[in-house]
Amino acid sequence: PGGGEPVFDRLEAKMAHAMMSLPATKGFEIGSGFGGTVMRGSTHNDPFVANPVGGRPGDSGRPALGVSSNYAGGTLGGISSGAPVYFKIAVKSVSTIGQAQQTSRLTGEAITLEAKGRHDPCVLPRTPPLVEGMAALVLIDAALLQRTRLGGACTTVCDGTRNFDPANPWGDAANGAANGAANGAPAAKKARK
């Protein structure tokens, strides 16, 4: 959560930009999309709620926040909310096909265009990997930008108060080394004297 900006670099705007840059893409909607335009604002609201199931490991009962619905598609105010990001795109049919089609030269002379060579009759098999890859690029870009806001080039915990320690992700001083070793994290190196 926390990736994106409230105005120009909204996460959904960057995602739309990325998806619409893919060949043959003609439409984009995030969350409820166009269906959300007929909903009342009170229904379309994605309020934060206590989520007792989503607490950190070892936090006896301390709840994390979640959203009670996800009409916005994982973003609120242009920033990721922690809910799953979901969107839909529309992809048009291939125009360059083996069937003869009428067109014009730059001079205005009518001609017949007949595609020669190998052309894909359907872009569907190539679309999902392109969409997944482009979405991953947008999300990692947002995550890296958020990381620089919180702690420069080093990875920090969500609130930016300390550097992230993979052996002790929750910052528990008493159980950090034991938990890290149990989870396969490398042992901390001894400080040089």
Side-chain angles (χ1 to χ4, degrees):
E5 293 283 336
V7 182
F8 296 110
D9 288 329
R10 297 173 67 92
L11 187 60
E12 61 265 41
K14 292 182 94 169
M15 193 67 75
H17 183 180
M19 294 305 136
M20 293 301 291
S21 69
L22 294 173
T25 304
K26 295 297 174 188
F28 175 86
E29 62 180 14
I30 189 163
S32 62
F34 291 108
T37 63
V38 296
M39 297 172 69
R40 292 186 180 274
S42 58
T43 306
H44 197 277
N45 191 14
D46 291 333
F48 284 104
V49 294
N51 184 8
V53 181
R56 297 177 182 170
D59 287 354
S60 55
R62 185 170 66 173
L65 289 178
V67 288
S68 61
S69 59
N70 194 12
Y71 293 114
T75 64
L76 292 173
I79 300 171
S80 62
S81 66
V85 174
Y86 74 96
F87 56 88
K88 299 174 193 170
I89 63 168
V91 179
K92 74 174 189 71
S93 301
V94 176
S95 300
T96 308
I97 56 176
Q99 178 179 341
Q101 300 178 59
Q102 293 301 310
T103 187
S104 295
R105 296 186 188 273
L106 288 175
T107 61
E109 173 191 356
I111 61 167
T112 302
L113 173 68
E114 294 183 75
K116 304 285 186 208
R118 183 176 170 219
H119 295 278
D120 290 333
C122 178
V123 295
L124 182 62
R126 299 179 191 278
T127 303
L130 289 172
V131 171
E132 290 174 6
M134 196 64 89
L137 287 172
V138 170
L139 294 174
I140 193 63
D141 185 51
L144 290 172
L145 286 170
Q146 180 68 4
R147 181 172 85 169
T148 60
R149 287 185 202 104
L150 295 177
C154 64
T155 304
T156 61
V157 294
C158 290
D159 61 2
T161 57
R162 62 182 172 85
N163 286 342
F164 178 74
D165 177 8
N168 185 12
W170 307 115
D172 183 8
N175 297 322
N179 287 342
N183 292 327
K189 295 180 181 177
K190 292 183 180 179
R192 293 183 181 175
K193 293 183 180 181

